[in-house]
Amino acid sequence: MVDIIHLNDTYLTYLCPLLKWRVMDLESLRKECARAPKYRTFCRVIRGLESKKILEAYRDPFNGKKYIYLSSFGEGQLSNKENPTSVSRDTLIHDIKVSEFAKAFCERGWASEVELEHQLHDKRNFKVTYKIIPDALFHGEKKGGKFKIALEVELSRKNNQRIVEKARQYLDSGYYNYVLYFFSKRNFMHQYVELLEEKLGKESMGRFMFFVDDAMTGKALNLDGVEGIFKGNAVTMAQVFES
């Protein structure tokens, strides 16, 4: 028998942002609340929810931040889905970076809407229709034209066949205007660029953006001045996305 915990309005206010962003650091989650509570009060409530097994936590050894996410039990308490999926410890670092990257895009006004992978999975027939589901989907507008950008956060090197197959799927879908690869290591970025150019041809490379933050896994994301390659040119992220 599954226990049911009746969450009051305060708890729901604190927890609902996690249904979208999945995993957040304490301060970011606190700021998402409609009326941001005092930090000590907020932390006390969060610790209480951890003790009730609604939440789980992870302390980043590099930036010292405490990250919060719903346990499988907590997900079941809040989600309306029949079989809700919880955050996996195996992909936790990756999920943290996807969430932080997506939030940063919204905060800078580079994207008007963001949908994360779990939200796209919940859309009926999305994968059947559009072939592939990215880590996140950015919707935005620049110079009067709307765009959709698929985000792929690459913290580890995939095998060549998998890299090429996935890139081909993006090209074939026609749904995404661009694919943005974000790397934690510069040599990964250059290997992807060389591989995709060789296998897909230079004429296809205009659909792909490649950016790298060498210190991504050891600090909070700061997109200002992040360097990359787009359409064969060395660019910064601000040059591509600032109006």
Side-chain angles (χ1 to χ4, degrees), residues 4 11 17 62 83 117-118 134 187 217:
I4 301 295
Y11 288 173
F62 297 103
N83 296 300
E117 181 181 8
H118 68 282
N187 63 319
T217 56

Side-chain angles (χ1 to χ4, degrees), residues 89-107:
R89 277 276 181 177
D90 294 336
T91 61
L92 182 57
I93 305 302
H94 175 269
D95 291 345
I96 287 172
K97 295 309 173 185
V98 170
S99 179
E100 288 184 335
F101 192 97
K103 280 182 62 62
F105 249 68
C106 288
E107 289 166 358

Side-chain angles (χ1 to χ4, degrees), residues 25-36:
D25 67 84
L26 275 176
E27 183 60 11
S28 294
L29 179 57
R30 188 179 74 88
K31 288 180 178 178
E32 285 282 316
C33 299
R35 296 179 180 177

Side-chain angles (χ1 to χ4, degrees), residues 153-182:
V153 173
E154 303 289 358
L155 301 184
S156 59
R157 178 72 159 82
K158 309 293 192 303
N159 68 65
N160 287 358
Q161 182 179 354
R162 184 179 174 189
I163 294 169
V164 174
E165 285 180 358
K166 198 167 190 179
R168 283 203 175 106
Q169 286 179 304
Y170 277 121
L171 292 176
D172 292 342
S173 80
Y175 179 70
Y176 307 97
N177 300 107
Y178 300 100
V179 182
L180 192 163
Y181 290 98
F182 197 46

Side-chain angles (χ1 to χ4, degrees), residues 5 26 36 67 69 73 152 157 211-212 231 233:
I5 291 181
L26 275 176
Y67 290 88
Y69 57 98
F73 175 61
E152 293 288 342
R157 178 72 159 82
F211 288 96
V212 60
K231 296 182 178 178
N233 299 313

Side-chain angles (χ1 to χ4, degrees), residues 5-17 33-35 37 45 49 78:
I5 291 181
H6 296 287
L7 298 170
N8 63 34
D9 289 343
T10 298
Y11 288 173
L12 292 174
T13 298
Y14 290 5
L15 296 176
C16 281
C33 299
R35 296 179 180 177
V45 173
L49 291 169
L78 267 73

Side-chain angles (χ1 to χ4, degrees), residues 217-229:
T217 56
K219 65 176 185 179
L221 286 177
N222 181 3
L223 300 186
D224 297 335
V226 168
E227 298 175 340
I229 299 170

Side-chain angles (χ1 to χ4, degrees), residues 51-69:
S51 70
K52 295 178 186 293
K53 308 301 182 183
I54 294 288
L55 292 175
E56 294 187 18
Y58 165 76
R59 178 76 66 177
D60 190 305
F62 297 103
N63 63 28
K65 289 184 178 182
K66 180 177 179 178
Y67 290 88
I68 298 296
Y69 57 98

